[in-house]
Amino acid sequence: MKRVTVFILLFVLGVSGCDIYKPQISFRLAIPEKDYFYNYMASHLVPFLEENGYRITIVRAASSIEANRLVAQGKADLAFVNNHSVPLAEELGEESGNLRSILPLTTRLLFAFSKEPLPPGSTAKHLLEGKRVGVELLGGEAALNLQRFLSRARIQNSTLVTFQDNPEVVVFWGTFYGERASRYLKEGWHPFSFSENWVEFLTLNDPALRPYELPAIPGESKSIRINTIATEAVLIVNQNVGENSVYKLAELIFQRRLQMVHRDIMYRSINEGFDTNSLLFALHDGTAAYLRRDEPTFFERYADTIALVLSIIAVVYGGVQAIRNSIAKRKKDQVDKYFLEFLEIRSSEDVAVKVKQLDALFQRAVEQLTSEKLDKSDFHILSRLIQQELTMLRFRD
């Protein structure tokens, strides 16, 4: 009884902790302290999730690289990453294999502003080469990506500095007509539109990047049409977070995306039709299951076939059971005859005849057992009775 009670208790505890029965609702979101945009996104995502029953704890990190490292190490559950940030994945090394994508949250554009006006027809080389280029955090995600761009385009002698360190050019990832871009316009900086050749060069070998053309702001004299590149800011999760937990999280964001759009129009980018093949980190099984929710399951697709197979199995099983029951009945009938014969022999008065008949009965029973026409348990009972009777007869003599 105690064993049964312990088993039931362990079963209940196991079920209560099961991802299916009780999906995770408490998440730790890792945010780089000095990343303006990721903190801006967190200021939207956290209240959205908490309004829908989740409990979110912010875990501060020195950079986006460290934020994602915390997730990879299981010290946080969620983080953000630019989908093209291959250098970030390289910095994490083997730990990056623990990261999975939930979904892209918004589109990000590459902005560049020059402190001094550039001549018409200036290229990215004129903008960046030999200049002090301002980034948000030295050694951070954006800085690593920019260094990769400069190396690919063979732009030399550029010095990366922070925004506060008197840059000649500032480069950052933002969203359509975002606050930071608007601020630089108001402060007299000059927006830069990249040439078609440079955009094509950058996007050629990176499926996570695509060309983007941002129209000028009507009524803003300094605003110009900007040719640039775009990527997505992706919500990242540790691969060990349960499939059903991520399914529920993705379902909430997709189905209630308007709540996010009301916070900022940039979240209109949330949609189920994103390219899963271009993700920097593989899609989590939970999101994959959600995106396949309308597809028939294995059992739904093959319901008729499965039903037919089960019917055949049931018929075959029934037939086998009928045969086994028939064989068992024949064995039972046979042993019943032996028991009746034993009783008849036992009632005889001639001891010599009884011994001879009992030996003959035992011999036949052995032969029946050998040919599998007699059940072993019935044979043992019969043989024990015969041996007891023979012992008693010999004792009389």
Side-chain angles (χ1 to χ4, degrees), residues 193-204 209-212 227-230:
S193 181
F194 295 98
S195 68
E196 182 178 343
N197 179 66
W198 199 78
V199 170
E200 183 180 358
F201 174 77
L202 287 178
T203 58
L204 182 62
L209 296 173
R210 64 185 186 279
Y212 202 95
N227 293 318
T228 185
I229 53 177

Side-chain angles (χ1 to χ4, degrees), residues 273-346:
F274 64 92
D275 183 6
T276 60
N277 295 320
S278 67
L279 292 173
L280 177 63
F281 299 114
L283 193 66
H284 192 281
D285 289 342
T287 305
Y290 174 77
L291 296 176
R292 295 195 307 266
R293 68 193 183 282
D294 294 329
E295 297 179 7
T297 64
F298 173 84
F299 291 105
E300 290 172 336
R301 288 197 302 270
Y302 298 103
D304 293 339
T305 303
I306 292 173
L308 176 61
V309 171
L310 290 177
S311 298
I312 293 173
I313 292 174
V315 171
V316 171
Y317 178 78
V320 170
Q321 286 297 104
I323 294 172
R324 291 181 63 185
N325 291 338
S326 176
I327 293 173
K329 186 176 183 306
R330 285 202 300 269
K331 290 181 179 180
K332 183 65 177 174
D333 291 343
Q334 183 63 48
V335 79
D336 287 347
K337 292 178 181 179
Y338 287 157
F339 279 123
L340 291 174
E341 186 176 346
F342 170 77
L343 293 175
E344 184 179 348
I345 294 171
R346 192 179 181 188

